[in-house]
Amino acid sequence: DFCLSRGLGDVYKRQAKYMSPINLSIDCVVLGFDEDQKLKVLLIKKFINEKNDYQHALPGDLVGLNEDLLTGAQRILNSLTSIDNLFLDQFSVFGDPERTNDKKDQSWLKMYRKEPKERVVTVGYIALVKMEDYIPHASSFAIDAEWVELNKVSSELAFDHNLILNNGIEYLRNQLDHELVTNLLPSKFTLSQLQNLYEILLDQKLDKRNFRKNVSKDILIIKTDEKQQGVAHKPAHLYTYKNSEN
């Protein structure tokens, strides 16, 4: 018994150096595609000091003690942007011990956390939406919530949110399929809109002729009898996905 107790004590001593308060948070990458054919990300704006200096961030916050991750992601997104009923997909975990140590991030943490120096590990969730269906409204510590074009996103988002955003987009490219694309397009769309979306998501130009040839073979994409309205150029045919709500 003495040997066992001493052995357990040694184990505890070895493990003690790894025991420290670690907070768990969730950050949401919500991407939307609008009629202007630009892919945008939902960002919140928050004050980082009492001078009302601000920065942009992905919607994110701490997970509750008795809260599962998906429930937490849905609650956090709704509490900061008033958006709910999204399909959220977990795509990665970010645990750099230094991820919250930047001066501007510590300034914000000191305003809202009792222990701003404690480590925070965050879980990334991604969602894809038709922007026409979701109008964000800021709440909680967010002073604004807005859709921002990807190429206009600041390189100085809060914490490691630029990394999280880039990883989310890369995850999307690797998972790209019709079901995901459907979430970003209007119920009826032109082939130009469809190709533009694929080019944005894949970050590469696609040959127009080959793209349309492949689309013509796709049984899930249906050509409707309708055409664009109110455009200065020759109106294009509208398409829809099979079983899409029209």
Side-chain angles (χ1 to χ4, degrees), residues 28 43 55 95 106 137 140 151 168 179 193 216 222 226:
C28 300
L43 297 178
Q55 67 179 167
Q106 278 295 306
H137 298 284
S140 185
N151 61 0
E179 184 176 359
Q193 285 178 307
S216 67
I222 302 171
E226 301 177 47

mmCIF file of all heavy atoms in Angstrom, residues 28 43 55 95 106 137 140 151 168 179 193 216 222 226:
data_model
loop_
_atom_site.group_PDB
_atom_site.id
_atom_site.type_symbol
_atom_site.label_atom_id
_atom_site.label_comp_id
_atom_site.label_asym_id
_atom_site.label_seq_id
_atom_site.Cartn_x
_atom_site.Cartn_y
_atom_site.Cartn_z
ATOM 1 N N CYS A 28 -17.515 30.969 -34.667
ATOM 2 C CA CYS A 28 -18.353 30.560 -35.803
ATOM 3 C C CYS A 28 -17.955 31.291 -37.083
ATOM 4 O O CYS A 28 -17.900 32.525 -37.110
ATOM 5 C CB CYS A 28 -19.825 30.837 -35.501
ATOM 6 S SG CYS A 28 -20.465 29.963 -34.060
ATOM 7 N N LEU A 43 -19.253 39.021 -39.446
ATOM 8 C CA LEU A 43 -18.351 39.477 -38.402
ATOM 9 C C LEU A 43 -19.092 40.353 -37.403
ATOM 10 O O LEU A 43 -20.075 41.012 -37.750
ATOM 11 C CB LEU A 43 -17.183 40.285 -38.988
ATOM 12 C CG LEU A 43 -16.230 39.573 -39.946
ATOM 13 C CD1 LEU A 43 -15.170 40.542 -40.448
ATOM 14 C CD2 LEU A 43 -15.582 38.363 -39.288
ATOM 15 N N GLN A 55 -12.562 46.421 -32.696
ATOM 16 C CA GLN A 55 -11.997 45.486 -33.660
ATOM 17 C C GLN A 55 -13.106 44.553 -34.132
ATOM 18 O O GLN A 55 -14.153 44.421 -33.482
ATOM 19 C CB GLN A 55 -10.854 44.679 -33.060
ATOM 20 C CG GLN A 55 -11.277 43.719 -31.975
ATOM 21 C CD GLN A 55 -10.125 42.914 -31.400
ATOM 22 O OE1 GLN A 55 -10.280 42.284 -30.382
ATOM 23 N NE2 GLN A 55 -8.979 42.906 -32.039
ATOM 24 N N GLY A 95 -5.665 25.575 -30.474
ATOM 25 C CA GLY A 95 -5.196 25.536 -29.097
ATOM 26 C C GLY A 95 -3.850 26.147 -28.846
ATOM 27 O O GLY A 95 -3.186 25.805 -27.855
ATOM 28 N N GLN A 106 -5.849 41.106 -24.982
ATOM 29 C CA GLN A 106 -5.819 41.167 -23.532
ATOM 30 C C GLN A 106 -6.608 42.369 -23.021
ATOM 31 O O GLN A 106 -7.258 42.310 -21.976
ATOM 32 C CB GLN A 106 -4.378 41.229 -23.038
ATOM 33 C CG GLN A 106 -3.686 39.883 -22.958
ATOM 34 C CD GLN A 106 -4.324 38.979 -21.923
ATOM 35 O OE1 GLN A 106 -4.482 39.355 -20.759
ATOM 36 N NE2 GLN A 106 -4.722 37.783 -22.345
ATOM 37 N N HIS A 137 -28.430 41.061 -36.245
ATOM 38 C CA HIS A 137 -28.603 42.198 -35.347
ATOM 39 C C HIS A 137 -27.685 41.975 -34.149
ATOM 40 O O HIS A 137 -27.774 40.944 -33.482
ATOM 41 C CB HIS A 137 -30.046 42.327 -34.889
ATOM 42 C CG HIS A 137 -31.021 42.566 -36.008
ATOM 43 N ND1 HIS A 137 -31.154 43.790 -36.634
ATOM 44 C CD2 HIS A 137 -31.896 41.731 -36.624
ATOM 45 C CE1 HIS A 137 -32.080 43.695 -37.580
ATOM 46 N NE2 HIS A 137 -32.532 42.459 -37.603
ATOM 47 N N SER A 140 -25.531 41.449 -26.948
ATOM 48 C CA SER A 140 -24.508 41.095 -25.971
ATOM 49 C C SER A 140 -23.344 42.089 -26.092
ATOM 50 O O SER A 140 -23.568 43.298 -26.185
ATOM 51 C CB SER A 140 -24.046 39.653 -26.167
ATOM 52 O OG SER A 140 -23.147 39.268 -25.150
ATOM 53 N N ASN A 151 -12.499 39.490 -49.367
ATOM 54 C CA ASN A 151 -11.280 40.217 -49.738
ATOM 55 C C ASN A 151 -11.170 41.572 -49.039
ATOM 56 O O ASN A 151 -10.197 42.298 -49.232
ATOM 57 C CB ASN A 151 -11.184 40.389 -51.258
ATOM 58 C CG ASN A 151 -12.344 41.185 -51.836
ATOM 59 O OD1 ASN A 151 -13.245 41.630 -51.115
ATOM 60 N ND2 ASN A 151 -12.340 41.354 -53.143
ATOM 61 N N GLY A 168 -11.409 27.553 -42.065
ATOM 62 C CA GLY A 168 -12.799 27.239 -42.374
ATOM 63 C C GLY A 168 -13.051 27.219 -43.871
ATOM 64 O O GLY A 168 -13.730 26.330 -44.389
ATOM 65 N N GLU A 179 -24.789 19.935 -52.043
ATOM 66 C CA GLU A 179 -25.573 20.266 -50.853
ATOM 67 C C GLU A 179 -25.065 21.550 -50.197
ATOM 68 O O GLU A 179 -25.840 22.405 -49.782
ATOM 69 C CB GLU A 179 -25.524 19.113 -49.846
ATOM 70 C CG GLU A 179 -26.394 19.355 -48.620
ATOM 71 C CD GLU A 179 -26.401 18.163 -47.682
ATOM 72 O OE1 GLU A 179 -25.747 17.150 -47.997
ATOM 73 O OE2 GLU A 179 -27.044 18.253 -46.637
ATOM 74 N N GLN A 193 -23.814 32.792 -61.942
ATOM 75 C CA GLN A 193 -23.776 32.851 -60.483
ATOM 76 C C GLN A 193 -23.172 31.576 -59.909
ATOM 77 O O GLN A 193 -22.350 31.617 -58.980
ATOM 78 C CB GLN A 193 -25.186 33.056 -59.918
ATOM 79 C CG GLN A 193 -25.733 34.454 -60.072
ATOM 80 C CD GLN A 193 -27.144 34.563 -59.525
ATOM 81 O OE1 GLN A 193 -28.027 33.787 -59.892
ATOM 82 N NE2 GLN A 193 -27.361 35.527 -58.653
ATOM 83 N N SER A 216 -24.517 20.550 -67.582
ATOM 84 C CA SER A 216 -25.566 19.947 -68.423
ATOM 85 C C SER A 216 -25.710 18.447 -68.165
ATOM 86 O O SER A 216 -26.754 17.855 -68.425
ATOM 87 C CB SER A 216 -25.260 20.199 -69.902
ATOM 88 O OG SER A 216 -24.101 19.494 -70.317
ATOM 89 N N ILE A 222 -31.465 21.671 -62.588
ATOM 90 C CA ILE A 222 -32.585 21.679 -63.530
ATOM 91 C C ILE A 222 -32.761 23.078 -64.129
ATOM 92 O O ILE A 222 -32.783 24.080 -63.408
ATOM 93 C CB ILE A 222 -33.888 21.264 -62.807
ATOM 94 C CG1 ILE A 222 -33.716 19.872 -62.185
ATOM 95 C CG2 ILE A 222 -35.071 21.285 -63.774
ATOM 96 C CD1 ILE A 222 -34.863 19.483 -61.276
ATOM 97 N N GLU A 226 -37.882 30.029 -66.605
ATOM 98 C CA GLU A 226 -37.776 31.449 -66.252
ATOM 99 C C GLU A 226 -36.431 32.031 -66.656
ATOM 100 O O GLU A 226 -35.447 31.312 -66.807
ATOM 101 C CB GLU A 226 -37.983 31.620 -64.741
ATOM 102 C CG GLU A 226 -39.324 31.105 -64.242
ATOM 103 C CD GLU A 226 -39.445 31.221 -62.739
ATOM 104 O OE1 GLU A 226 -39.117 32.302 -62.209
ATOM 105 O OE2 GLU A 226 -39.849 30.234 -62.091
#
